[in-house]
Amino acid sequence: MFRGARSIYRWMTVGKLDRNRLFIGGTALLGTIASTATLRPDLPIFREAKALLMQDDNENSRLKVHTDHKLTQREIRFLRFASIEYDDVIYMSPMDFIDSLTLDHPRERVYRRVMKPDDLTRLLKKTPPFRKGNKTLFRSLDQGGIISYSEYIFLLTLLTKSRAAFKIAFMMFDEDDSGYVDRDEFLMIRSLTSSLRSIRFQSMHKDESCQLEPSDFSFVVNRLSSKLFAGTDAYNIEFKKSDAEVKRQDTTLLLHLFGISGGSKLSYEQFQTFCANLQEELMEIEFHEFSRGRNIISPIDFARLILRYTIVHENDYSKYISRVQERLTTEDGISMEQWRKFSYFLNSLEDFATAVRLYTNADMPVSKKEFSRAVRSTTGQELDQNIVDMLFKIFDANLDGHLTYGEFLSVMNDRLHRGLKGRLDKKWDWKQFKSCVMTEVSRG
């Protein structure tokens, strides 16, 4: 009997299942556990199952957050940098947002800052109006504002989109096709993601379906059954505000775009200005960080900058940097305008990848002339020859005047999404399949 239960458990954890089989196999497993629990609660299956369930709880506890699912990489990134709590909800400050895009690790702090209603009200009243926009909005606000997790995702999305995609984003918000987006339409973004709730000052309460101590092996049965099949957890937390109330909370972004009273509306031209300003602000921050007080970025620092967020092995990273060092013929660096054009190109990477898919699939090398033509035809812009030369110094492995699109697109996709999204050429194997299955199990 125990051997059968252990087999089902292993079968579940290696990923050989679909949802129907998961329900049947999981029910059988729980039934077997329940019927034999009084005999051998110290069996490895109980310890393994409990460890599986508690794994997510340990991560959530470390980040002081309550969720009903396994944390995503973006949620973890947000939580690591977010420094503010209000009404049990975790928020970023504007500078936290900038830091999350430009720093490997958050600035050192002991706890998140817990704000009181009067403090937040005074803070939000200082939010500047939109008017013509501001290319230094987040830098000038510094710690003087709050950004929700859903707004964080919204801003990240805008940072990776081309100018042409701004129109599509605006139309998604303009639900009544009026040509304007109002506050209520913009609030739709908060319904797309769950709020990240703090558990720093909360106590856990058991509901009536689970009256045993977590140390008891029966804890596994209750947690596993509720998480897998009911989508809930036997251990709940009480919060001050409901999800509906939290999703209507005033934030810096909300007041900036729609005014203190919330009565302003956003035209497409204004929305486009806001998106462009956001991208420009980050471009400038990154440029000045790597230019080190000069008006250009050195070739080596340019290589470091575009490889900054890429998921490459340490040896591969050194390989790219070494190529630039060995192939330098002049010290001509990259200017702000050249960096701006390259950043615009990265935001059109998806269109570029589609256009060169034939080369990618055939693993065909591409010359500088062909590369420049592909950029021009897909983005409508011409990359400076200095940028093209630098890219070929980094990605031309054989020094034959050609680069392979597959490698280039993989690294650039990492850079564009700052390591928070899978690569364009990501291979699908058993390990990835197993990971996805475990994610589904953890979500319930």
Side-chain angles (χ1 to χ4, degrees):
M1 183 176 296
F2 288 110
R3 186 176 304 161
R6 188 179 295 108
S7 298
I8 295 174
Y9 171 72
R10 288 175 178 169
W11 170 68
M12 290 174 67
T13 58
V14 296
K16 297 179 180 179
L17 70 161
D18 55 34
R19 286 194 175 274
N20 292 330
R21 294 171 67 192
L22 170 60
F23 183 86
I24 297 171
T27 304
L29 168 63
L30 295 173
T32 304
I33 291 177
S35 65
T36 60
T38 56
L39 299 177
R40 294 287 305 281
D42 61 332
L43 283 173
I45 184 174
F46 293 112
R47 295 197 299 270
E48 293 171 1
K50 183 174 178 179
L52 177 66
L53 290 171
M54 296 301 291
Q55 184 177 2
D56 291 347
D57 290 347
N58 291 337
E59 178 73 5
N60 290 6
S61 178
R62 183 177 66 83
L63 295 170
K64 304 299 182 184
V65 64
H66 170 73
T67 63
D68 59 357
H69 60 270
K70 181 177 176 64
L71 292 171
T72 65
Q73 287 301 311
R74 287 187 175 183
E75 287 173 329
I76 292 173
R77 184 78 175 174
F78 177 89
L79 291 168
R80 289 179 61 213
F81 283 85
S83 65
I84 298 174
E85 293 181 14
Y86 178 72
D87 277 349
D88 304 319
V89 181
I90 300 171
Y91 295 95
M92 276 184 167
S93 70
M95 188 52 65
D96 290 339
F97 173 67
I98 293 297
D99 285 348
S100 73
L101 299 173
T102 58
L103 300 180
D104 293 329
H105 305 285
R107 301 177 192 273
E108 195 170 330
R109 65 172 184 269
V110 180
Y111 297 109
R112 296 190 185 107
R113 176 167 50 129
V114 180
M115 301 199 71
K116 297 179 180 179
D118 290 345
D119 296 330
L120 182 61
T121 298
R122 285 194 293 270
L123 193 69
L124 292 178
K125 282 184 178 179
K126 298 179 182 179
T127 303
F130 178 74
R131 293 177 185 167
K132 293 184 179 181
N134 187 345
K135 293 181 182 180
T136 62
L137 174 66
F138 294 91
R139 284 172 286 183
S140 59
L141 285 171
D142 202 306
Q143 299 295 329
I146 60 171
I147 298 172
S148 69
Y149 175 67
S150 57
E151 291 169 341
Y152 168 72
I153 296 299
F154 166 69
L155 294 172
L156 284 183
T157 302
L158 295 183
L159 284 171
T160 62
K161 297 303 178 185
S162 64
R163 299 298 173 91
F166 292 166
K167 184 67 174 180
I168 298 174
F170 181 82
M171 293 171 63
M172 292 292 290
F173 285 113
D174 185 14
E175 191 175 16
D176 59 3
D177 297 325
S178 64
Y180 292 88
V181 172
D182 59 30
R183 174 191 170 102
D184 288 337
E185 288 175 326
F186 183 79
L187 283 174
M188 286 192 305
I189 67 172
R190 297 193 188 176
S191 65
L192 302 178
T193 57
S194 301
S195 300
L196 295 176
R197 303 286 195 125
S198 171
I199 58 173
R200 185 180 303 282
F201 302 111
Q202 299 296 328
S203 59
M204 301 188 76
H205 302 276
K206 300 179 201 176
D207 63 24
E208 295 179 356
S209 66
C210 184
Q211 297 296 330
L212 300 178
E213 293 296 324
S215 59
D216 194 288
F217 63 88
S218 295
F219 170 74
V220 178
V221 178
N222 284 282
R223 289 290 308 275
L224 191 59
S225 60
S226 62
K227 263 188 130 177
L228 286 180
F229 309 127
T232 60
D233 202 315
Y235 280 69
N236 300 314
I237 295 180
E238 296 178 359
F239 295 104
K240 295 177 183 178
K241 288 186 176 181
S242 67
D243 284 341
E245 291 175 308
V246 168
K247 288 174 181 177
R248 297 197 66 82
Q249 170 64 47
D250 281 343
T251 62
T252 298
L253 194 57
L254 204 61
L255 298 188
H256 175 65
L257 296 177
F258 303 101
I260 300 295
S261 65
S264 300
K265 294 185 178 182
L266 206 62
S267 68
Y268 170 65
E269 288 72 21
Q270 290 173 318
F271 180 77
Q272 187 180 37
T273 298
F274 172 78
C275 298
N277 286 342
L278 173 66
Q279 292 184 352
E280 286 275 348
E281 182 165 7
L282 185 60
M283 287 179 202
E284 290 181 6
I285 291 172
E286 291 188 309
F287 180 87
H288 291 306
E289 180 184 357
F290 280 80
S291 66
R292 308 175 193 275
R294 301 187 298 168
N295 59 359
I296 61 169
I297 299 177
S298 71
I300 299 298
D301 283 333
F302 174 73
R304 292 192 179 105
L305 178 52
I306 65 173
L307 293 171
R308 184 181 202 176
Y309 308 100
T310 56
I311 309 173
V312 296
H313 190 273
E314 183 178 354
N315 293 336
D316 292 330
Y317 180 88
S318 300
K319 174 186 66 178
Y320 291 127
I321 300 299
S322 297
R323 286 178 187 171
V324 178
Q325 291 174 325
E326 294 168 359
R327 299 170 184 180
L328 276 179
T329 54
T330 65
E331 284 295 328
D332 292 342
I334 305 300
S335 68
M336 171 69 84
E337 184 59 29
Q338 290 171 334
W339 170 244
R340 180 179 287 107
K341 289 181 179 180
F342 177 73
S343 298
Y344 290 153
F345 159 67
L346 279 188
N347 289 337
S348 302
L349 189 64
E350 187 174 345
D351 295 334
F352 178 79
T354 300
V356 299
R357 194 174 303 278
L358 176 62
Y359 289 95
T360 305
N361 293 340
D363 200 28
M364 295 171 60
V366 180
S367 67
K368 292 181 182 180
K369 183 177 180 181
E370 291 166 332
F371 179 85
S372 297
R373 184 168 62 249
V375 173
R376 184 173 59 252
S377 64
T378 55
T379 67
Q381 294 196 11
E382 189 88 40
L383 279 183
D384 287 335
Q385 190 60 44
N386 192 21
I387 288 281
V388 176
D389 291 342
M390 284 298 306
L391 292 176
F392 272 71
K393 282 183 173 67
I394 298 171
F395 295 102
D396 179 3
N398 303 321
L399 201 58
D400 61 355
H402 296 81
L403 59 77
T404 302
Y405 270 129
E407 178 185 17
F408 174 75
L409 290 174
S410 295
V411 176
M412 290 301 97
N413 187 58
D414 282 346
R415 203 275 170 216
L416 174 63
H417 295 280
R418 290 169 167 76
L420 296 176
K421 184 178 179 180
R423 297 184 174 193
L424 291 175
D425 65 341
K426 183 178 179 180
K427 295 181 180 180
W428 185 256
D429 57 23
W430 179 251
K431 184 177 180 180
Q432 278 73 42
F433 176 71
K434 178 181 175 181
S435 175
C436 286
V437 170
M438 293 308 299
T439 299
E440 290 298 317
V441 171
S442 68
R443 287 181 179 273

